[in-house]
Amino acid sequence: MPEVGLLGGIPEAPIAALHARLVERAAERGLLDVAYRSLDTAVGSLLLAATPAGLVSVTFDGRDPAATLERLSTALSPRVLEAPARLDDAARRLEALIAGRARAFDGPLDLALARGFGRDVVERLREIPYGETRSYAQVAAAAGSPRAVRAVGTACRRNPLPIAIPCHRVVRSDGALGQYAGGVEAKRLLLDIEAAPGG
């Protein structure tokens, strides 16, 4: 007996096919502004979102994405649809980074969610070499605001593209890891992968 979905007793398979057709037609008519998918990784369940310009958001709430989807619909566009295939390439690139098979995310990125001083910080984060770290104070100085150390911490926490843009490479001046959107263990794992021989 086929598995029954929530929509009026319609089986799951036809619902998936209808959803795929909806995504395809929305894209054809220019009605799909933000596509999203979840991705289970060693650092947690991620929610990936992309605009036609590139990957625009990575968050650590892939299994409970309601708040992030609401934020994306407010900040970018209400035309948000689950469209995993449109993010397959970005997902592969992120998986390669997390596994230590790649040293940088080399796909297209959309920085529309990084604004003001946060955008300045994000640009500096991209300059930190693979396998190295910088302190929050060093990033503040590089961003032209050496006294804005706390603001750098906030900007790192709000980095719209963690992993792809390596805010995990920013640590406290005393060497402590500091905070991370995905949790300290995820930050430690990413740094350990980069520090591993051959990483």
Side-chain angles (χ1 to χ4, degrees):
M1 184 174 181
E3 189 175 357
V4 174
L6 297 176
L7 300 179
I10 301 173
E12 290 285 356
I15 290 175
L18 285 170
H19 181 83
R21 200 174 309 157
L22 171 66
V23 170
E24 183 180 337
R25 291 194 176 178
E28 287 173 357
R29 297 180 184 185
L31 299 176
L32 176 53
D33 295 333
V34 182
Y36 74 90
R37 67 166 287 176
S38 61
L39 177 67
D40 288 327
T41 73
V43 295
S45 183
L46 307 177
L47 184 76
L48 317 183
T51 67
L55 185 66
V56 73
S57 174
V58 177
T59 53
F60 290 85
D61 57 354
R63 292 183 182 164
D64 187 18
T68 293
L69 295 176
E70 178 68 24
R71 180 174 56 82
L72 293 173
S73 69
T74 300
L76 297 173
S77 168
R79 299 191 299 196
V80 179
L81 272 177
E82 185 175 19
R86 293 173 68 91
L87 284 140
D88 282 351
D89 183 65
R92 280 192 291 271
R93 293 173 193 271
L94 285 172
E95 287 177 321
L97 272 173
I98 293 167
R101 299 192 306 272
R103 299 170 72 90
F105 185 91
D106 56 1
L109 297 176
D110 181 349
L111 298 181
L113 294 173
R115 297 166 181 152
F117 184 67
R119 176 66 174 262
D120 295 339
V121 171
V122 163
E123 294 291 357
R124 300 292 79 76
L125 297 177
R126 302 173 82 179
E127 298 169 356
I128 303 174
Y130 184 90
E132 297 185 18
T133 59
R134 298 289 185 271
S135 70
Y136 293 99
Q138 287 175 312
V139 175
S145 300
R147 301 178 67 176
V149 177
R150 283 178 180 263
V152 167
T154 300
C156 287
R157 192 173 67 249
R158 294 178 179 171
N159 171 17
L161 291 159
I163 304 171
I165 294 180
C167 53
H168 61 273
R169 295 178 191 157
V170 184
V171 299
R172 292 171 47 171
S173 297
D174 63 3
L177 292 183
Q179 296 183 345
Y180 187 60
V184 173
E185 288 308 313
K187 186 172 187 174
R188 180 177 288 111
L189 177 60
L190 290 168
L191 290 173
D192 286 349
I193 289 168
E194 294 189 12

